[in-house]
Amino acid sequence: MYDLVRVENLAKAYPGFTLDHVSLSVPAGCVTGFIGSNGAGKTTTIKTILGLIRPSAGNVALFGEPVCGFEEGGELSTDQKNMTNASGAPQIHEAALVRAKARIGVVFDACPFPSESLVSDVEHIGRFAFPTWDRGLFEQYARQFDLGAKKRVKELSRGMGMKLQLAFALAHAPELLILDEVTAGLDPMAREEVLDILRGFMTDERRGILLSSHITSDLEKIADYVVCIDAGRVMFDCMVDVICDVAGVARCGAEQARAIVESGAFAQGSLRVMAGAYAHEVLVPDRALLSRRFPKVACERVSIDDYMRLMLKGEAR
């Protein structure tokens, strides 16, 4: 499957934080969710993919073309060493990055437009920034989002600022959306409206979305894959269907939890166990198997939020 985004072993060091060889991809026709706590490295990863931050190591390809690290014009093999410049940092392929950015719509977690700008000024920015800019489409989204042309950016709430960014991102017919907390600050009805727009965007299977979000229930509705990052490291990379439709969480007593762990039904290290005040939680990779082996133990569907919590904080057994 053709990857719109391919990231391999991306690294960046700051005082007190290291992005530690992060790898992820966004295949065409797919939505990749990107989750983790505040400060986990999601925004750093996104800005590095977009060339806004220079990594200390790693490779990035957009639309199959190397933009960082990979040999320009070369094969994107997984065992290829980083191409570096004289300083030792991965080489940035500026021309390829410019070409790729023209095909990408971006929403950041904070509105980047000048605070004194009018909504109508933002439309002018898009006209000069993108050769494929569609003024009518921007105005259509502005009306749909109730973004008055004479409103100033500084007057917009966080949620309205997100909507302005989304209108801007969609108005030049991108093939890829990179969205950092696009539904943050929106009420449930507005979030569903945005998700409907993203579903419409994905009716073209040549497109894709990298969607960073703390609202994991949104990802359950739209994402195909989810990548979890914690303290700069990828902790798991999994299909959403495997999490929500196959895995499960058993809430039971200590003796039952011990019996599940010691049963041999599951591979060593594949379970996560967390002891609570009133019950133990056991994350299992196959809830149907657990139900067959332990019919008296209730095993529920697991949400992405609970899956992440148990994978990060539970004891591997």
Side-chain angles (χ1 to χ4, degrees), residues 107 141 144-145 159 162-164 166-167 170 177 179 181-184 186-202 209 211 218 222:
V107 172
Y141 282 121
Q144 182 176 344
F145 293 150
M162 288 293 182
K163 287 184 175 182
L164 176 59
L166 184 59
L170 290 166
L177 290 176
L179 310 175
E181 300 294 343
V182 69
T183 57
L186 301 180
D187 61 64
M189 290 184 63
R191 284 185 9 234
E192 194 60 41
E193 179 184 12
V194 168
L195 292 178
D196 280 341
I197 290 171
L198 299 183
R199 292 184 188 102
F201 177 82
M202 289 303 300
I209 301 175
L211 176 56
D218 288 347
I222 194 171

Side-chain angles (χ1 to χ4, degrees), residues 12-195:
K12 179 69 177 179
Y14 294 105
F17 175 79
T18 299
L19 193 68
D20 190 4
H21 295 88
V22 169
S23 298
L24 61 83
S25 64
V26 181
C30 293
V31 177
T32 296
F34 196 27
I35 62 175
S37 60
N38 288 329
K42 301 188 301 298
T43 298
T44 299
T45 301
I46 287 172
K47 288 184 175 180
T48 307
I49 291 170
L50 293 170
L52 302 176
I53 294 174
R54 182 182 291 272
S56 54
N59 304 305
V60 180
L62 297 171
F63 307 104
E65 186 173 16
V67 298
C68 174
F70 288 115
E71 182 177 5
E72 192 167 16
E75 294 294 325
L76 304 183
S77 61
T78 56
D79 58 353
Q80 183 181 20
K81 293 182 179 179
N82 293 336
M83 296 297 294
T84 60
N85 57 24
S87 68
Q91 182 177 348
I92 304 297
H93 308 304
E94 298 290 352
L97 188 58
V98 169
R99 286 192 295 271
K101 284 184 177 181
R103 304 164 67 182
I104 300 173
V106 180
V107 172
F108 291 111
D109 60 347
C111 190
F113 303 117
S115 62
E116 294 295 329
S117 297
L118 303 174
V119 169
S120 58
D121 295 332
V122 172
E123 192 280 323
H124 294 310
I125 294 171
R127 195 184 310 174
F128 285 102
F130 298 104
T132 56
W133 181 259
D134 187 332
R135 178 181 180 180
L137 188 57
F138 177 83
E139 292 177 345
Q140 174 188 319
Y141 282 121
R143 288 192 299 271
Q144 182 176 344
F145 293 150
D146 196 26
L147 295 166
K150 297 304 180 183
K151 284 187 177 179
R152 295 192 182 276
V153 169
K154 68 179 181 181
E155 298 170 344
L156 301 176
S157 66
R158 175 179 172 81
M160 294 301 283
M162 288 293 182
K163 287 184 175 182
L164 176 59
Q165 287 195 78
L166 184 59
F168 186 86
L170 290 166
H172 67 99
E175 299 163 57
L176 170 68
L177 290 176
I178 296 181
L179 310 175
D180 193 2
E181 300 294 343
V182 69
T183 57
L186 301 180
D187 61 64
M189 290 184 63
R191 284 185 9 234
E192 194 60 41
E193 179 184 12
V194 168
L195 292 178

